[in-house]
Structure formats: C-alpha cells, structure tokens
Amino acid sequence: MENELNLLAAEIDKDFETATESKALENLRIKYVGKKGAISAYYEKMGKLSKEERPKIGQLLNSLKNKVESLLTEKLEKFSGNTNNEIIDFSMPGYKLPAGKYHLISQTIRRIKEIFRTLNFDIAEGPEIETEYYNFEALNFPPHHPARDMQDSFHIDKGHVLRTHTSPVQVRTMEKCKPPLKIISIGKCYRNDPLDASHLPMFQQIEGLMVDEDINFSDLKGVLKIFFSEFFQKKTNIRLNPSFFPFTEPSAEVSVTCPICQSGCPLCKKSGWIELFGAGMVDPNVFRNVKYDSEKYTGFAFGGGIERLTIIKHSINDIRHFYENDIRFLNQF
Ligand code: DAH
C-alpha cells in the first residue's frame, strides 16, 4: 500500500500543477478528499491492515490529506488574487461613491423651465455669438445707443457680438413662428462689466415672450405673479414701475415682495421690495421688423438674471460664488 500511496502523492502534485482555475480545484477536492475520494477510500481500507502497518500508513494518509488541503487553499487564494490571507466578508456594503448633483444655477434653470412648462410656454434657443442686427437693431436700439459701446459689449468682429441679453431670441423666434406664441429662453449673456459681488462678465438670463390678439399688461402681471409665487414657493406680490427699454412700450421694472423678510432686511434694503425683471409690451417697431401685424397682435416680454433670482431665493451674498466651483459652497444646495 505504501507504494500505491507514493504514486498517489505524485499524481496529486501533477494534478495541482496543471489546475488553472477554481473550478478545476473543486474537481480535485472531490477526487482526493471528497466522501468517495481516493484518500478517503484508503482510510476505509485501514481496518484490514496489520497492527504494525497501520500507524505508518495512517501517517502517510494524514500527510497526503494535509498536502491536498493546503494545496487547495494555496491555489484558491492565488486564483482569487487574495494572497494576504485576508478574510473577505462579501456581505459588507461597498464603498459609497460621492453622488454628483446639479449645480445650483442648473437647479434654478430646471425649476424655471418646469414652472413655465405648466403654463404652456415653449422653450426657445438662440446663439451666444449674435449679429449686431439681432442683438440691437431688430430690438429697436437706436444706432448710437450706449449699450452698443465697446465698453458694454464684447465684439467678435464687425457685425458680431457676444449677446448682451437673451432678448434677440424673441426676434429670432418671431421670424420663424407665426403668432400666437408663448416662449421662454434661458442662456448665457456677456457684458464687459468689471467683476464684483453683483456683476460678472458672463451671466445667464431668462427671456419671456407672449404674443396673441388682445394680450395686455394684466396678462403680463398675472403670468409673472404665478411664476414668482411658484419659484419662491410663497405668495408673492408684484409691483410694476415705469421704466424704459427700446423694445417695449410701455416698459416696466418688475419688483416682487421680498421673499425673505416681512419688515425689511439687507437683501431688500429695508424696503420690502426686490427689483428682479425688466418687462413691457412689445414695441410695434419690433413687430414690424419680424413682419407681424402690429394692428392685430399685441404681446408682452420680460427678462432678468438667473443668478440674481438664485441669490434672492437662497440669500447668497456674492454672485462670484456660483462660478468659483468651491465644492463646500455648491454642496450646500
Ligand atoms: N434685455 C433686458 C436686459 O438685459 C431685460 C429685458 C427687459 C427683457 C425688458 C425683456 C423686456 O424682454 O421686456 O436688461
């Protein structure tokens, strides 16, 4: 029997040398130390051995069994890449990856779009590099209006500027679509302003336009009141003060009741009102430029800053925070 066991030892070595994956190891476990495995079979034959033979063969069998078992663990560790004798608890929860989220300005934009969608407004878009015609002329800016100055606009070449507001999207949309229409447009605008707590050379605006027969100032007021109440999540009143924009007549500055305080805070400069949008009735000259019949149709337009809306909603004290991308600031929202 001793000879047989020596042969078996050689076979074990050979088998384990050629095993290349954990499935093969399982087969070897069954083959040698399984219930009906080769080593187990020899243990059963032990009873038939003489008293003298028994201890020696017993020892040999034990060492073969140990050999198989240690080869099994060694190879299994190797195949699973775990060579440090680590015990892996596969039921442990994995490492949590930090989840990304929308930038605060994107959150504002998404919320605004959501609100206007419920009011059946479509979303319109226009280019950020704009012709002087769409940025100024079509919007009824007189040729020497100060907004056209080099100080205010970033000029790309003769005839092109980085758009200074989203109002050109009004003109582009009216050229493409017949009335009635209800649109908003949101996007980046650029002005050559010095950087400070409330000015950035790049900022974002929302523009709104509604054109139909019999649209009047109270429609404008109604839509804005719903919008601001939804946006600030509280009943908000609106005040329209006379103002001037070349593309609206009459024009107004739109203020809302301060969403933060009841009796005066630094944000509303203790007045209880916060100026947010420009607005007005579309000037008939703008209608003429897009070949709309200004006798038949009227419309209102409004526009304002996305960052300013966000600053008021979340009581933020400096517009620059939005674009410095300090994760400690952004994570708060
Ligand atoms: N475009 C104006 C600005 O940049 C904002 C504005 C005012 C838009 C009145 C309008 C409007 O549509 O009717 O300050």
Side-chain angles (χ1 to χ4, degrees), residues 164-167 170 191 205 207-208 245 247-248 252 278-280 301-304:
T164 56
H165 53 174
T166 40
S167 303
Q170 286 185 29
R191 280 184 207 173
Q205 276 195 342
E207 189 75 20
F245 298 101
F247 39 93
T248 43
F302 59 87

Side-chain angles (χ1 to χ4, degrees), residues 20-32:
T20 52
E21 44 153 13
S22 6
K23 209 171 158 213
L25 293 180
E26 177 57 11
N27 290 337
L28 292 182
R29 189 190 66 76
I30 296 168
K31 178 174 174 187
Y32 292 112

